[in-house]
Amino acid sequence: MRSSEALAPAAPAIQSVPLFDLKRQQARLRADIDGRIAHVLDHGQFILGPEVEALERDLAAFADARHCIAVSSGRDALIMALMAVGAGPGDAVFVPAFTFSATAGVVASVGASPVFVDVDAATFNMDPMAFEHALDGVVAEGKLRPVAVMPVDLYGLPADYPAISAIAEARGLQVIADAAQSFGGKLGDRSVGALAPISCTSFYPTKPLGAFGDGGGVFTEDGRLAEAVRQIRTHGRQGDGDEALRLGMTGRLDTIQAAVLQAKLSVFAGELVWREEVAARYDAALEGRVTIPHRPDWARSAWALYTVRVPNRDRVREQLSAEGIGTGLFYRIPLHRHPAFATYLTGREDLPVSDRLADEVLSLPMGPDLTDAEIDHVVERLLAVLG
Ligand SMILES: Cc1ncc(COP(=O)(O)O)c(C=O)c1O
């Protein structure tokens, strides 16, 4: 159980609070994980062993999605999704400007062109009106063929899929969810994994559901897309066949990581409740003092990160760091300012919200095992630094 103990008089003063602390979760689950890894070592099927298929079934059931394909990373999941829908040279894929660089990197990796869209100032997710505006711009210019939009569920909060999908469907674009940060989140009563025709998540260790290495998942309702991703995952081959039916890659999740994820998935629903409790305690203490995360009543975040907006962000971060409090900058540089994507700029970029957020966001320590005393300590020090 997450400790709700306030700092007891006899408890030692808190010296430091890291941004993420994966060791506590490991301690809770160590015996189960050790047993599952030992089982994989015993049977020796390190590639696509039975744990992979079992995990895919459990993940699909958790998300209430028809198909899940376990893959090598979040980035590879997105690349495989883009390959499965046939995105390539001459194609435009719309991505939010305020996200991790991989969101645009994968588009460029398949030869397509990322087009940057500003985000909503409240949710930090893709602004549907800005998407439509950027789409009109690409159509008017006539150089690229718009094929897909890739909303990101930033910090764990699902994007506005109903609004974005309505525009995409009317204009013939595929929706690919970059759900790298949001597995476990919900929009109404539907779960991340089932919010778009194809959704990609990451099992990077610090994600809400994290492996002990790289991993990812592709979710889809469409049997043909699922089949395509399965082929792409193993060099474009069908099952054990030796014929390459399409271009593919080495994109499988290791059996050992599947075993670790099975153990973690067995406690994941409870951990999501704990993350929510952590976020609620931050909210209650920080509301009115800094800009706290927006909580639309139609969505539930997986709380990959708890991110506030503060003035003088870099100075605040430095002072907290000097006091042993770990914070994160996700993201200091919006996508249109990365040198790697300079060649994709259209000259029409108007991304003021992304630019502003990049200067103001600060992610505070987050995790299911954070204690109330630690949260209170972080809040107290943050408010002291802000003065
Ligand atoms: C929004 C987003 N997209 C893609 C990725 C890539 O995931 P991975 O690190 O598993 O390749 C990440 C990971 O941090 C991410 O946050």
Side-chain angles (χ1 to χ4, degrees):
M1 212 182 81
R2 201 178 77 81
S3 163
S4 60
E5 294 290 299
L7 195 57
I14 291 171
Q15 298 296 330
S16 66
V17 187
L19 176 61
F20 304 115
D21 181 351
L22 304 180
K23 291 210 172 114
R24 291 182 191 172
Q25 185 207 43
Q26 191 189 134
R28 275 192 280 117
L29 302 178
R30 185 62 189 254
D32 187 21
I33 291 173
D34 279 348
R36 289 175 190 265
I37 291 177
H39 185 65
V40 176
L41 297 186
D42 287 343
H43 69 56
Q45 293 180 58
F46 300 123
I47 300 294
L48 295 184
E51 286 78 2
V52 177
E53 213 181 306
L55 177 72
E56 288 176 339
R57 265 198 313 273
D58 293 347
L59 288 169
F62 190 94
D64 208 6
R66 194 161 295 157
H67 305 277
C68 170
I69 302 102
V71 301
S72 40
S73 70
R75 185 186 173 95
D76 290 348
L78 290 165
I79 288 183
M80 287 186 250
L82 287 163
M83 289 170 78
V85 303
D91 293 340
V93 178
F94 297 82
V95 299
F98 190 63
T99 174
F100 184 50
S101 60
T103 308
V106 295
V107 176
S109 294
V110 298
S113 299
V115 177
F116 304 115
V117 176
D118 211 1
V119 295
D120 179 86
T123 63
F124 304 177
N125 283 332
M126 182 182 277
D127 178 342
M129 278 169 63
F131 161 47
E132 190 157 34
H133 186 68
L135 176 54
D136 289 340
V138 168
V139 171
E141 191 183 45
K143 285 191 188 155
L144 296 169
R145 188 171 67 103
V147 297
V149 55
M150 232 160 67
V152 173
D153 305 339
L154 204 73
Y155 310 143
L157 180 71
D160 188 350
Y161 290 99
I164 291 168
S165 301
I167 298 165
E169 272 166 34
R171 311 278 293 260
L173 271 70
Q174 185 81 41
V175 182
I176 300 173
D178 180 345
Q181 305 181 4
S182 61
F183 190 69
K186 282 190 165 220
L187 207 69
D189 57 2
R190 294 178 67 201
S191 298
V192 166
L195 301 178
I198 187 159
S199 305
C200 301
T201 197
S202 165
F203 302 130
Y204 185 82
T206 54
K207 294 292 192 266
L209 182 64
F212 286 165
D214 283 308
V218 179
F219 296 82
T220 180
E221 300 305 296
D222 181 329
R224 277 186 317 173
L225 281 177
E227 193 57 40
V229 171
R230 282 190 194 284
Q231 290 173 354
I232 293 166
R233 179 175 72 166
T234 37
H235 312 288
R237 299 186 317 199
Q238 175 74 36
D240 291 334
D242 54 8
E243 196 181 12
L245 301 173
R246 57 168 73 239
L247 293 181
M249 55 196 277
T250 306
R252 300 165 295 236
L253 181 76
D254 291 342
T255 308
I256 285 183
Q257 296 303 343
V260 171
L261 285 166
Q262 280 186 298
K264 294 208 184 187
L265 188 60
S266 73
V267 298
F268 187 52
E271 289 187 346
L272 287 168
V273 174
W274 294 347
R275 284 180 183 270
E276 176 61 44
E277 286 173 11
V278 171
R281 193 171 182 92
Y282 273 135
D283 278 359
L286 291 173
E287 186 160 24
R289 309 296 299 274
V290 298
T291 310
I292 60 172
H294 182 61
R295 286 168 179 262
D297 50 18
W298 38 266
R300 191 185 82 186
S301 178
W303 294 112
L305 291 163
Y306 185 90
T307 304
V308 296
R309 291 170 69 175
V310 292
N312 302 316
R313 191 265 323 273
D314 293 341
R315 182 186 61 80
V316 171
R317 181 167 198 242
E318 228 168 78
Q319 286 187 306
L320 288 175
S321 167
E323 300 196 25
I325 295 174
T327 57
L329 298 187
F330 307 101
Y331 295 91
R332 198 175 55 81
I333 306 173
L335 295 192
H336 57 291
R337 301 198 182 280
H338 284 269
F341 307 130
T343 54
Y344 299 102
L345 298 183
T346 60
R348 292 187 300 275
E349 283 76 17
D350 179 26
L351 306 161
V353 181
S354 299
D355 276 326
R356 201 166 66 240
L357 291 178
D359 287 338
E360 295 180 357
V361 289
L362 185 69
S363 297
L364 303 180
M366 174 41 97
D369 295 282
L370 210 59
T371 66
D372 284 356
E374 287 170 323
I375 299 165
D376 295 349
H377 179 69
V378 172
V379 166
E380 193 235 316
R381 296 320 305 149
L382 174 62
L383 294 180
V385 167
L386 286 170

